[in-house]
């Protein structure tokens, strides 16, 4: 034993060494003890890996604070207990998928065994599949719940567990907190039933693929344009993830014939050997794709993260340089195209809507207002967009939606962000632009000229430890109690506080309540709206020692040649806001 380990950590280590854990797990713990790996042991055992309102995520390894058979087992047993309590007397079923991460297929099988051991029927994807297809499968198969083993675009050391409800969305209130409570009740490994029932586990795969791909084909609005532009030169990378299983098929099904896969990143691999982080938001992860685009003079670059729920895109600017679009730009372009296409197709009846999060660009609100289409703003997280779709089902028609963090959804067959469907739609809108003699960058410029140039900056401040947590609390309290007289030369006119769901007009003092429902509930977020249309949103992270400030600014763009000059002006304004608010 290591004398310097704290008592609680030592107690948990002893419990794992003496309890009903497998011999390999015990041997690994003993090896860490023999080698004096105090820091690793402390990190692995000082607490239990938290099962939050959407699931859990952590580094893989032995210990109570790591992703392993036993933490996955505890989460699944608690989830199973809740399902049995919630659907008493019913035949319960769950769909399970996994991505390309190390141990993902193993964890999926562990979960399948535990659900089946509890009398729950399991539909288990026999190979890796995108997260949005799991959402679709839950709905298509009429399941009570779903599960994806994934850590999205986190580093290779991580894996995770995402829980879904019967509408295909990630769990929301009251089920989220109720599942957490059930998971927390599991106090011993002996309470977990690992002995699966093979008769209750059904392998699924290609048959679900076919039905899911049909929904993507239905989303297409301008098939004639694709026919004319079938030779659109597309570069696609799955960044060693699940997108390779369906994105090329979806593009081919729509009629695109010149799809160039980045072969060095095509093989699913949980080590992600060609990138530092498997995240299409990062230029580094997109480098191979953009290099291929330069080589073949492509029209579009798209890449998906490991579980294919987020997509990044790159376009060629007028100088011939390949540039990455950010999440706000891509969300805006998709909505710009969808609204225009639906209008031209005569599909706007007054009952359609768009949904986005409160920290996603307001150019979407403006475009919706112009077209007479409702735009619902939700809390951050796609499960809240899914909640709007669920609540309005049968009353209003969802066109599409998105969030600034590279997640978009077209149509309502899926209830989570969907990079497969998004890749197809991005390719279609690029084909539409080309059919009209424009590049995708030109299309972006046209959107800004019609609606103002909106630019969003994210300021993320890390504040570690107890002192950091207190500093974050103070920053939020100061914003609430001491609204600055001006910010970068503009006067705040409205304060929106989502903690108590109120909007305060600073000139009149009138306070308006924000109704709950439709993706809205109390949350620790505050927004300042300035007289010039600038919006500053402050939001502490729920999972990391960070506070994030989302800054949205806008200016008119009179002509395409002014793009760079206006962009520079907007960036300077974001910097001025950061300076004025002391965000360091």
């Amino acid at each position: 034993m290591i004398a310097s380990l704290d008592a609680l950590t030592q107690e948990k280590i002893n419990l794992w060494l003496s309890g009903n854990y497998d011999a390999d797990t015990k041997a690994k713990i003993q090896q860490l003890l023999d080698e004096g790996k105090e820091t690793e042991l402390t990190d692995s055992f000082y607490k239990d890996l938290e099962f939050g309102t959407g699931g859990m995520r952590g580094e893989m390894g032995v210990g109570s604070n790591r992703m392993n058979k036993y933490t996955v087992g505890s989460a699944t047993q608690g989830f199973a207990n809740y399902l049995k309590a919630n659907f008493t007397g019913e035949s319960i079923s769950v769909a399970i998928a996994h991505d390309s991460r190390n141990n993902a297929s193993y964890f999926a099988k562990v979960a399948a065994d535990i659900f089946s051991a509890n009398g729950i029927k399991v539909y288990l994807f026999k190979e890796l599949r995108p997260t949005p297809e799991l959402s679709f499968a839950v709905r298509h198969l009429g399941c009570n719940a779903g599960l994806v083993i994934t850590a999205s675009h986190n580093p290779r050391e991580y894996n995770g567990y995402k829980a879904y409800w019967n509408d295909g969305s990630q769990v929301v209130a009251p089920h989220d907190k109720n599942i957490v409570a059930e998971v927390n009740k599991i106090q011993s490994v002996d309470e977990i039933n690992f002995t699966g029932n093979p008769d209750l586990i059904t392998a699924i795969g290609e048959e679900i693929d076919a039905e899911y791909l049909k929904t993507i084909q239905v989303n297409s609005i301008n098939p004639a344009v694709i026919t004319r532009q079938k030779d659109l030169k597309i570069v696609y990378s799955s960044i060693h993830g699940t997108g390779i299983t369906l994105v090329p098929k979806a593009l081919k099904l729509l009629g695109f014939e010149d799809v160039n896969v980045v072969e060095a990143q095509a093989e699913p691999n949980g080590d992600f050997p060609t990138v530092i982080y498997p995240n299409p938001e990062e230029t580094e992860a997109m480098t191979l794709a953009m290099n291929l685009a330069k080589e073949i003079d492509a029209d579009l670059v798209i890449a998906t993260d490991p579980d294919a729920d987020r997509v990044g895109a790159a376009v060629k600017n007028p100088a011939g340089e390949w540039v990455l679009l950010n999440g706000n730009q891509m969300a805006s372009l998709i909505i710009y195209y969808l609204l225009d296409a639906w209008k031209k197709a005569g599909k706007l009846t007054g009952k359609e809507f768009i949904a986005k999060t409160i920290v996603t660009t307001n150019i979407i609100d403006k475009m919706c207002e112009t077209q007479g289409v409702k735009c619902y703003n939700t809390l951050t997280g796609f499960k809240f967009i899914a909640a709007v779709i669920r609540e309005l089902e049968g009353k209003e028609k969802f066109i599409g939606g998105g969030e600034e963090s590279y997640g978009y959804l077209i149509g309502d067959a899926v209830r989570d962000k969907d990079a497969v469907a998004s890749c197809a739609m991005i390719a279609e809108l690029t084909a539409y632009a080309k059919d009209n003699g424009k590049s995708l960058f030109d299309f972006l410029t046209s959107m800004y000229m019609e609606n103002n140039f909106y630019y969003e900056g994210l300021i993320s401040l890390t504040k570690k430890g107890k002192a950091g947590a207190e500093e974050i609390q103070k920053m939020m309290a100061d914003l609430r109690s001491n609204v600055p007289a001006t910010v970068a030369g503009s006067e705040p006119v409205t304060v929106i506080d989502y903690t108590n769901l109120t909007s305060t007009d600073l000139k009149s003092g009138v306070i308006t309540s924000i109704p709950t429902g439709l993706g809205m509930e109390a949350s620790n977020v505050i927004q300042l709206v300035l007289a010039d249309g600038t919006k500053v949103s402050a939001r502490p992270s729920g999972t990391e020692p960070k506070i994030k400030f989302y800054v949205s600014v806008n200016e008119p763009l009179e002509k395409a040649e002014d793009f760079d000059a206006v962009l520079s002006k907007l960036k300077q304004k974001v910097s001025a806001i950061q300076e004025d608010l002391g965000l360091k």
Side-chain angles (χ1 to χ4, degrees):
M1 296 300 172
I2 301 173
S4 55
L5 287 170
D6 69 79
L8 182 60
T9 300
Q10 188 66 69
E11 183 182 338
K12 286 193 174 182
I13 291 171
N14 292 340
L15 181 65
W16 279 57
L17 286 172
S18 62
N20 286 324
Y21 296 86
D22 64 81
D24 184 54
T25 294
K26 292 181 179 181
K28 288 176 180 175
I29 296 170
Q30 189 61 52
Q31 182 179 353
L32 292 172
L33 286 166
D34 293 343
E35 294 175 357
K37 297 292 181 69
E38 179 183 353
T39 300
E40 189 170 345
L41 283 165
T42 299
D43 289 347
S44 299
F45 284 97
Y46 84 99
K47 67 173 184 175
D48 292 339
L49 185 62
E50 183 180 356
F51 189 95
T53 54
M56 63 184 182
R57 189 176 297 182
E59 293 185 41
M60 291 176 278
V62 296
S64 60
N65 190 37
R66 293 286 184 260
M67 281 288 293
N68 53 57
K69 172 183 177 179
Y70 301 102
T71 52
V72 168
S74 180
T76 306
Q77 186 63 57
F79 197 179
N81 291 348
Y82 181 69
L83 289 172
K84 289 193 292 183
N86 201 77
F87 297 103
T88 306
E90 296 184 35
S91 177
I92 305 170
S93 62
V94 174
I96 302 177
H98 67 85
D99 70 6
S100 61
R101 287 181 178 271
N102 296 327
N103 297 312
S105 61
Y106 170 67
F107 291 153
K109 182 61 167 63
V110 167
D113 284 343
I114 294 168
F115 279 127
S116 67
N118 283 273
I120 294 171
K121 181 166 182 57
V122 177
Y123 295 97
L124 176 64
F125 277 97
K126 54 191 174 185
E127 295 173 323
L128 77 170
R129 284 296 188 274
T131 287
E133 187 176 9
L134 181 279
S135 173
F136 172 81
V138 168
R139 297 172 56 75
H140 181 72
L141 296 170
C143 295
N144 301 85
L147 165 64
V148 181
I149 302 296
T150 177
S152 190
H153 53 279
N154 274 50
R156 59 180 63 87
E157 297 85 6
Y158 285 74
N159 216 323
Y161 187 110
K162 288 168 68 173
Y164 288 76
W165 203 241
N166 59 5
D167 65 336
S169 77
Q170 291 188 57
V171 290
V172 294
H175 306 299
D176 51 3
K177 293 180 175 61
N178 292 343
I179 294 170
V180 171
E182 286 294 335
V183 172
N184 290 338
K185 288 178 185 177
I186 307 298
Q187 294 296 308
S188 167
V189 66
D190 298 322
E191 297 176 53
I192 306 169
N193 191 344
F194 286 104
T195 308
N197 180 352
D199 294 337
L200 288 178
I201 301 175
T202 299
I204 57 174
E206 293 81 3
E207 70 279 15
I208 305 298
D209 296 348
E211 294 300 320
Y212 170 61
L213 288 169
K214 283 179 187 176
T215 69
I216 292 175
Q217 193 170 25
V218 168
N219 288 337
S220 177
I221 306 168
N222 282 310
V225 165
I226 297 174
T227 299
R228 290 194 295 271
Q229 300 296 335
K230 63 182 180 180
D231 294 328
L232 186 82
K233 201 167 287 186
I234 302 168
V235 169
Y236 169 67
S237 174
S238 58
I239 315 182
H240 304 291
T242 61
I244 196 65
T245 63
L246 287 180
V247 172
K249 289 180 182 177
L251 294 171
K252 182 178 180 181
L253 184 65
L254 261 64
F256 293 105
E257 297 180 358
D258 195 357
V259 179
N260 302 269
V261 173
V262 180
E263 293 299 335
Q265 296 178 323
E267 182 182 359
N269 188 331
D271 290 328
F272 308 112
T274 64
V275 297
I276 298 172
Y277 299 108
N279 184 355
E281 298 178 48
E282 302 284 345
T283 303
E284 180 270 334
M286 300 284 282
T287 299
L288 290 179
M290 289 194 288
N291 287 345
L292 178 57
K294 293 172 190 173
E295 184 182 322
I296 66 173
D297 192 25
D299 297 295
L300 173 68
V301 171
I302 43 179
T304 50
D305 70 344
D307 68 323
D309 63 352
R310 300 173 194 249
V311 55
V315 298
K316 200 188 305 181
N317 67 17
E321 303 161 334
W322 282 92
V323 294
L324 292 183
L325 297 180
N326 64 41
N328 280 303
Q329 289 174 319
M330 197 70 255
S332 304
L333 279 170
I334 290 172
I335 302 306
Y336 178 58
Y337 172 69
L338 286 172
L339 290 173
D340 183 65
W342 275 57
K343 182 179 181 180
K344 288 176 178 174
K347 294 171 66 177
L348 294 182
T349 67
K351 292 186 176 181
E352 293 73 32
F353 72 94
I354 297 293
K356 70 177 197 55
T357 69
I358 57 175
V359 296
T360 301
T361 177
N362 278 25
I363 194 174
I364 295 176
D365 301 78
K366 185 173 183 180
M367 292 189 295
C368 287
E369 184 178 359
T370 299
Q371 298 288 10
V373 173
K374 293 178 184 175
C375 181
Y376 294 99
N377 281 270
T378 76
L379 294 179
T380 305
F382 229 89
K383 64 183 181 180
F384 294 110
I385 292 176
V388 176
I389 300 171
R390 180 178 63 250
E391 291 181 50
L392 295 177
E393 200 160 13
K395 294 176 268 187
E396 297 180 25
K397 179 66 176 174
F398 177 69
I399 297 175
E403 59 185 6
E404 38 67 48
S405 54
Y406 288 64
Y408 324 110
L409 178 61
I410 298 94
D412 61 4
V414 168
R415 300 299 169 88
D416 202 355
K417 48 189 177 287
D418 186 346
V420 183
S422 298
C423 282
M425 188 54 67
I426 293 166
E428 179 175 324
L429 71 88
T430 305
Y432 177 81
K434 191 170 184 179
D435 205 51
N436 285 276
K438 295 181 177 182
S439 68
L440 189 54
F441 192 93
D442 295 332
F443 203 55
L444 178 74
T445 303
S446 296
M447 179 183 73
Y448 287 149
M449 289 174 69
E450 291 175 29
N451 299 282
N452 272 17
F453 194 145
Y454 280 72
Y455 174 76
E456 286 75 30
L458 173 62
I459 302 161
S460 182
L461 306 178
T462 299
K463 306 288 183 180
K464 293 183 178 180
K466 181 174 181 290
E470 291 171 351
E471 187 176 353
I472 288 172
Q473 289 179 1
K474 185 177 185 302
M475 292 173 82
M476 293 297 289
D478 285 347
L479 264 180
R480 289 187 169 98
S481 60
N482 300 307
V483 178
T486 61
V487 180
S490 185
E491 181 184 1
V493 293
T494 306
V495 175
I496 305 171
D497 192 341
Y498 291 91
T499 304
N500 54 20
L501 293 171
T502 59
S503 176
T504 303
D505 184 313
L506 294 176
K507 289 189 175 179
S508 66
V510 173
I511 300 175
T512 307
S513 295
I514 300 170
T516 57
L518 290 174
M520 187 58 62
E521 59 186 52
S523 182
N524 189 16
V525 182
I526 189 165
Q527 292 182 320
L528 303 182
V529 182
L530 310 186
D532 64 358
T534 294
K535 183 174 72 174
V536 180
S537 308
R539 173 179 170 262
S541 171
T543 57
E544 299 174 286
K546 292 181 178 180
I547 181 169
K548 297 180 178 181
F549 292 84
Y550 304 80
V551 181
S552 176
V553 294
N554 71 89
E555 290 278 345
L557 179 63
E558 302 291 345
K559 52 185 186 294
E561 301 81 59
D562 294 339
F563 188 99
D564 289 341
V566 174
L567 176 59
S568 178
K569 182 179 179 182
L570 292 171
K571 286 183 176 180
Q572 288 172 15
K573 190 168 186 179
V574 170
S575 296
I577 291 168
Q578 182 175 6
E579 183 72 25
D580 266 16
L581 293 178
L583 305 181
K584 298 175 182 178

